[in-house]
Every structure is written in structure tokens, then in C-alpha cells.
Amino acid sequence: MPLQDLIYILDLLGTLVFAISGVVAAVERKFDLVGAFIIGFVTALGGGTTRDVLMGATPVNWMLHEEYLGIVALAMILCYLFYPRLSHIRRSLFIFDSIGLGLFTILGFQKAMIAELSIPIALMLGIVSAVFGGVIRDVLTNQVPLIFRKEIYALASLAGGLLYWLGSLLEVNTALNALISICVVVLIRSMAVAYGWESPFLPLGRKEH
Amino acid sequence: MPLQDLIYILDLLGTLVFAISGVVAAVERKFDLVGAFIIGFVTALGGGTTRDVLMGATPVNWMLHEEYLGIVALAMILCYLFYPRLSHIRRSLFIFDSIGLGLFTILGFQKAMIAELSIPIALMLGIVSAVFGGVIRDVLTNQVPLIFRKEIYALASLAGGLLYWLGSLLEVNTALNALISICVVVLIRSMAVAYGWESPFLPLGRKEH
Amino acid sequence: MPLQDLIYILDLLGTLVFAISGVVAAVERKFDLVGAFIIGFVTALGGGTTRDVLMGATPVNWMLHEEYLGIVALAMILCYLFYPRLSHIRRSLFIFDSIGLGLFTILGFQKAMIAELSIPIALMLGIVSAVFGGVIRDVLTNQVPLIFRKEIYALASLAGGLLYWLGSLLEVNTALNALISICVVVLIRSMAVAYGWESPFLPLGRKEH
């Protein structure tokens, strides 16, 4: 399978899993059909949209690719059919969610590099692409964004971006480089869950007590 | 009256009613003068602004039309003068709010079509134009966006957009087409209130119990 | 020191103080390292970013100036080193925060004027530049934006913008004009704190009781 096709399929899969997490969050808060669709949509596509708007890459990507609307619709159908069992499936979804996290990081990084932005900015845009969909989902459902608190999530995205950058410095083959970076993101996330790793904090308050 | 003038007047009226709903929400949460102005502004113009930013139609529309600032100022004056009676007037405002919902949907749809975006994307941008002002209002006042939950609101916008699209396929005269679509939006909203229609949900949790 | 350098230094100082307020808010809500960085970043740069996105001045400013990333990193280091004493330092930070408020207002106003937007729109973009970073910080930490309620904050920004506009009408030397406007913003904020001034409200509810 050519690299471009593989990336395309992973992109759609990542989008689907992100959309499912949005639809589930919306339905659990008793949003209606359109609300569930919109939350699924912004969760899946909000990160890339934020990146595109900040870069001035407009009309944003999903406006030129209707299939993303279909992916969000598919997420709703899957939620309708399988929700009671989705809590079990979630563990399997975790792997796709992590693949999506890694892939979106790299796609964001690449897009920034193509636009000739600097490395630190490109790393930042990689993280934005990967995590801001979830941030917007949490804002629209009136919650403190989980991503900032509970999981090694944005840090895994940063690690994947850094690794991909190093690989490109060492002129590693692009496909291999992307594969390794995504695997490391999945590995970090899996180990964080397995070993109960918590995100590091700035240890501010401690000195006060 | 020429069509363009009618649309312009309806646009200003819709903007005014949306702004009033924002100013009232802000004042009821004890925002100060500037806060009330900003919330009124984003409620009235946030939907079209989101659409323009996503499309890359910048500077966004209201930057080129100062009269919108005046409309928001007028909304504040009207709130100051008539607030105690606004709860009664609200029923009359409902009709303008629904007209605004329908009109903004169609204006968003048209703008997307002119930019040669696809039909599903244009329908989506119509809904965004019509409902995202209220979404931003609710986010800034720290509430779960009502629009996703309580009313046949986004669905009425979708229905209006679909009907307008069908009309344009059938080559109905543009003015007549817009008029019919707006009337249907107003009708759906009125019947939803009259008959206590609730938005349909994805029936997820039910199977669990 | 040439004017351009002075503005540059004040810009970095204002950014630093805004970033510190974001990092402190994030850490007090137990956000992790990346979360604290992002909240610091959006607090310091969210206002100018919103302005740039609305104007279509993309890629937004900070993408072309990596030093802003360094400023946010510096804010985190300073918080790490000095947090227990930051509550005392806050009073000293207040002056820089007010300088930042005034300066960002004027920079936003100027940028809008250069883009040939109208005066009211430019005043609005000045306020957006100065206050929307804090608004985004409060939204992401799930709070009603303080700026709309508690302080003479947006009003001080508006006053500074108006004064700067008057000065430019009277053809006051630009450096002097900016200096006077910033001083007035600092003065208004200081007097508001000293005398317990509250922001004026639209007196709606009163008539009802």
C-alpha cells in the first residue's frame, strides 16, 4: 500500500475515533441529534481547524473534503448501534485514539514545515492539531479540558513531534519516521495507563504548606 | 421594495434581536457595560464571524460595516429602556429571532455557494452562521450551550437550509425561495413551542436500563 | 532608546506578565506542565491572535516571532522559582499588567488603522487585543470571564484607545501619544483599585424590585 493511502486511512480512522468520543460526550449530556453531530465534528476536526485558521490555510481543510462529514455521520450510527457495548470497546478504541493523536501531531507538524514556519512553532501546531479538538469539546460541554489535567496526552503529542523532527534531521525515510513516532506516542500512552503515570506539574503550591 | 433592501432590513432586525438576547443574558449575569456590549455583539455577529473565519473571508464582514456596532448599541439602549417589560415582549421577539435564524441560515448557505463550496458544507456553514453566536454567548457566560439541548433550533436551521437548496435546484425565484424557507423555519419553531416538541436524541442509554 | 525598541521591550514585558497570570491560573487548577504552558500562552497571546484571525492577518503574529514562546517558558520558570512570593509580587505585577493592557490596546488600534479599518472597528480591535487573552484563559479554565464583571478593565482599555485616537487627530507625536494613553490606562486602573470603583452596569433589574 502506498504511503499516501496508509496516511489517508489512518487519518479517517483517527477522525472516526475522535468523533465517537465527541458524540458519546454529547449524548451523555443529553444533547440532541444536531448537537451530538456538532460536538462529534468539532472533537474530530477542531484541532486541524484551529491550526488552519491560525496559519491562514483557509478555507479550512474539511471544507474541501466532504468525506469528513460522512465520517462524523458514521460515528453517530456506530454510537447508535453499539453504545451499550462502547464502554467495553473503549479499550480497543484507545489504540486508535492514540494512533490519531500521533498522526495528527505529525500531520500538523508537516503542514507547518511546508508553510516554512520555524521548528518550535511547528511542534506547537502539531500539538494544537492533536489536542484542540478535545479542548473545544470540553469547552462546549462546559468542562475544564481534561487534556490539561488527567493524562499524559499533550506530552505524548510533544514527544511524538520531537521524535519526528529528530528523525527528519537524521533524514530517516518519511514513512518509517512517521511510523516510529506514532508507535512511540502509542507506547507512551499505553505505559501511562498501565503504570498509572501522572502528568508532571509545576510544583508550586508545595512550598506554601 | 427591492429584494436587496428587504434582506438588508431583515438582517439588521435579526441582528438586533440576537443582540438583545445577548445583552439580557449578560446583564442577568451582572456583566458590566462593556461586558454586556461584547456579549451582545458576539451573540449577534459571532455566527457569521465564525463562518467568515473558517472560510477565510477576512476581514470578517462586520469590520466593513460599522452599522452593526450601532445595532448592538441600539440593543443596549432598548434593554435599558424596556427591560422590565422585555419578558413580555420576548414572545414578540420570538418571531424576529426565528426570522433571524432562517435568514442567517440562508445568507450563510449562499455565501458558501458563492465560494464554490459543496452543498453539505454550505448547509453546515448555514447552521454555523445561524447558531454559533448563541453558542459563543453560552460559552462566555459559562453555560452548556442551550441550542444543543432545549429547542428545535439547529434542526429548524437545517430544515430551512435544505428547503432553500431544494428550491434553488428547482430554480425557484430567489426572493420567493428565501421567503418560503424563512417561513418554514418560523413555522417549525412556532409549532415546536406550541406543541412542546423536543429535539430528537440518539437513544443510547436506553438499552442499558 | 529609539521608540521601536521601547515598544518592543514593553511588549515583551506585558506578554510576560500576562503569561504569568495564565500560568498561575492553570497551576492553581492543577493543570499539568503542558496545560500550564498552553494557558500561559493563550492568556498572553490570545488577544492579539484573535485580532489577527478576525482581520485575516495570518499566519498570526506569534508564528513569525519565536521569542514569544521563550517569554511563556520564562513565565513558567519564574512561577516555579517565585510562586510562594508571587502573591506579594502581584501588587508590583499590577503595574506591568496595566502597562500591557494599555500597550496592547494601542498596538491593536494601530494595526487596525494600518489595515484601513474604521475608527470604531479599530477601537474594538484594540480592546479585543488587550482583553481577549484573559477571556480565553477564563473560558479554558471553565470560569465566567472576570473581565466582564469585576474590574474597570475593558473600560480602561476603551479609554486608552479613545485617548490615543484623539491624540492622533491632534497630530500629537506618536511616542508621546502612546505614552500618555498608557499612563492614563495605568492611572484609571490604579484609581479603580484604590477607590474601589466598580464597573458601571446597565441598571435593568432595579426597576423590577
Side-chain angles (χ1 to χ4, degrees):
Chain A
M1 182 158 50
L3 176 65
Q4 217 50 44
D5 290 4
L6 180 66
I7 286 179
Y8 183 67
I9 289 170
L10 286 177
D11 185 17
L12 293 185
L13 264 177
T15 304
L16 179 65
V17 175
F18 276 39
I20 288 174
S21 94
V23 172
V24 168
V27 173
E28 289 180 347
R29 271 162 202 81
K30 304 200 187 295
F31 285 17
D32 67 11
L33 273 180
V34 177
F37 185 88
I38 292 180
I39 300 295
F41 193 91
V42 299
T43 306
L45 298 159
T49 300
T50 306
R51 174 202 63 209
D52 287 350
V53 164
L54 293 176
M55 289 178 61
T58 50
V60 298
N61 190 50
W62 56 262
M63 290 196 184
L64 309 173
H65 295 89
E66 292 168 52
E67 60 265 39
Y68 290 116
L69 283 174
I71 292 285
V72 179
L74 179 60
M76 293 189 69
I77 293 169
L78 291 175
C79 283
Y80 174 71
L81 292 176
F82 299 118
Y83 177 72
R85 294 164 58 199
L86 263 187
S87 44
H88 307 287
I89 308 175
R90 261 188 207 175
R91 215 159 287 174
S92 333
L93 291 183
F94 173 84
I95 192 85
F96 292 111
D97 186 71
S98 300
I99 291 174
L101 183 71
L103 182 69
F104 292 163
T105 302
I106 290 169
L107 292 177
F109 181 86
Q110 277 183 323
K111 193 158 185 176
M113 293 306 290
I114 291 169
E116 303 196 343
L117 297 167
S118 67
I119 302 292
I121 301 298
L123 287 171
M124 188 126 185
L125 285 175
I127 297 176
V128 165
S129 307
V131 312
F132 255 69
V135 170
I136 299 174
R137 174 198 63 211
D138 293 342
V139 165
L140 289 182
T141 56
N142 200 24
Q143 300 198 291
V144 174
L146 264 182
I147 275 162
F148 295 150
R149 300 189 304 167
K150 255 208 163 164
E151 298 170 77
I152 305 276
Y153 200 87
L155 273 184
S157 166
L158 177 61
L162 277 171
L163 199 68
Y164 185 81
W165 170 48
L166 283 178
S168 64
L169 282 186
L170 300 173
E171 297 185 10
V172 176
N173 168 279
T174 304
L176 187 65
N177 193 8
L179 189 70
I180 293 173
S181 301
I182 292 173
C183 284
V184 167
V185 169
V186 173
L187 192 71
I188 291 176
R189 290 262 290 145
S190 303
M191 290 178 71
V193 168
Y195 295 99
W197 288 350
E198 290 197 351
S199 298
F201 292 93
L202 261 188
L204 303 196
R206 291 178 191 168
K207 294 177 194 165
E208 280 186 313
H209 299 297
Chain B
M1 181 157 51
L3 175 64
Q4 216 50 42
D5 291 3
L6 180 66
I7 285 179
Y8 184 67
I9 289 169
L10 286 177
D11 185 18
L12 293 186
L13 265 177
T15 303
L16 179 65
V17 175
F18 276 39
I20 288 174
S21 93
V23 172
V24 168
V27 174
E28 289 181 348
R29 271 162 202 82
K30 303 198 185 299
F31 285 17
D32 66 13
L33 273 180
V34 177
F37 184 87
I38 292 180
I39 300 295
F41 193 90
V42 299
T43 306
L45 298 160
T49 300
T50 305
R51 174 201 64 211
D52 287 349
V53 164
L54 293 177
M55 289 177 62
T58 50
V60 298
N61 190 48
W62 55 263
M63 290 197 185
L64 309 173
H65 296 90
E66 292 169 51
E67 61 264 39
Y68 289 115
L69 282 175
I71 292 286
V72 179
L74 179 61
M76 291 189 71
I77 294 169
L78 291 175
C79 284
Y80 174 73
L81 293 176
F82 300 118
Y83 178 73
R85 293 165 58 200
L86 263 186
S87 44
H88 306 287
I89 307 176
R90 262 188 205 174
R91 215 160 289 174
S92 333
L93 291 182
F94 174 84
I95 192 84
F96 292 109
D97 187 71
S98 300
I99 291 175
L101 183 72
L103 181 69
F104 294 162
T105 301
I106 289 169
L107 292 177
F109 181 87
Q110 277 183 323
K111 192 157 185 176
M113 293 307 288
I114 291 169
E116 304 197 342
L117 297 167
S118 67
I119 303 292
I121 300 298
L123 287 171
M124 187 124 187
L125 285 175
I127 297 177
V128 165
S129 307
V131 312
F132 255 69
V135 170
I136 299 173
R137 175 198 62 211
D138 292 341
V139 165
L140 289 183
T141 55
N142 200 22
Q143 300 198 293
V144 174
L146 265 181
I147 275 163
F148 295 150
R149 299 189 304 167
K150 257 209 161 160
E151 298 170 77
I152 306 277
Y153 200 86
L155 272 183
S157 165
L158 176 62
L162 277 170
L163 198 68
Y164 185 81
W165 171 47
L166 283 178
S168 65
L169 281 187
L170 299 173
E171 295 183 11
V172 176
N173 168 280
T174 304
L176 186 65
N177 194 9
L179 189 70
I180 294 173
S181 301
I182 292 173
C183 285
V184 167
V185 170
V186 174
L187 192 71
I188 291 177
R189 291 260 292 144
S190 304
M191 291 178 69
V193 168
Y195 296 100
W197 289 350
E198 291 197 350
S199 298
F201 293 93
L202 261 188
L204 303 196
R206 290 178 192 168
K207 293 176 192 165
E208 278 186 313
H209 299 297
Chain C
M1 182 157 52
L3 175 65
Q4 215 50 42
D5 290 4
L6 180 67
I7 286 179
Y8 183 66
I9 288 169
L10 286 177
D11 185 18
L12 294 185
L13 264 178
T15 303
L16 179 66
V17 175
F18 276 39
I20 288 174
S21 93
V23 171
V24 168
V27 173
E28 289 180 347
R29 270 160 202 84
K30 304 198 187 296
F31 284 18
D32 66 13
L33 273 180
V34 177
F37 184 88
I38 293 179
I39 300 296
F41 193 90
V42 299
T43 306
L45 298 160
T49 300
T50 305
R51 175 202 63 210
D52 287 349
V53 164
L54 294 176
M55 289 178 62
T58 50
V60 297
N61 191 49
W62 56 262
M63 289 196 185
L64 309 172
H65 296 88
E66 292 168 50
E67 60 264 38
Y68 290 116
L69 283 175
I71 292 285
V72 179
L74 179 60
M76 292 189 70
I77 293 169
L78 291 176
C79 284
Y80 174 71
L81 294 177
F82 300 118
Y83 178 71
R85 295 163 57 199
L86 264 186
S87 44
H88 306 286
I89 308 176
R90 262 189 205 172
R91 215 160 287 175
S92 333
L93 291 182
F94 174 84
I95 192 86
F96 292 109
D97 186 70
S98 300
I99 291 175
L101 183 72
L103 181 70
F104 293 162
T105 302
I106 290 169
L107 292 178
F109 181 86
Q110 277 183 322
K111 191 157 185 176
M113 293 307 288
I114 290 171
E116 304 197 342
L117 297 167
S118 67
I119 302 293
I121 301 297
L123 286 172
M124 186 124 187
L125 285 175
I127 297 177
V128 165
S129 307
V131 312
F132 255 69
V135 170
I136 299 174
R137 175 198 62 211
D138 292 342
V139 165
L140 289 183
T141 54
N142 200 24
Q143 301 197 292
V144 174
L146 266 181
I147 275 163
F148 295 150
R149 300 188 303 167
K150 258 207 160 162
E151 300 169 76
I152 306 277
Y153 200 86
L155 273 183
S157 165
L158 177 61
L162 277 171
L163 198 68
Y164 185 81
W165 170 47
L166 283 178
S168 64
L169 282 187
L170 300 172
E171 296 185 10
V172 175
N173 168 280
T174 305
L176 186 66
N177 193 9
L179 189 70
I180 293 173
S181 301
I182 293 174
C183 284
V184 167
V185 170
V186 173
L187 192 72
I188 292 176
R189 291 261 291 145
S190 304
M191 290 178 70
V193 168
Y195 296 98
W197 287 351
E198 290 198 349
S199 297
F201 293 93
L202 261 188
L204 303 195
R206 291 179 191 166
K207 295 177 192 166
E208 279 186 314
H209 299 296

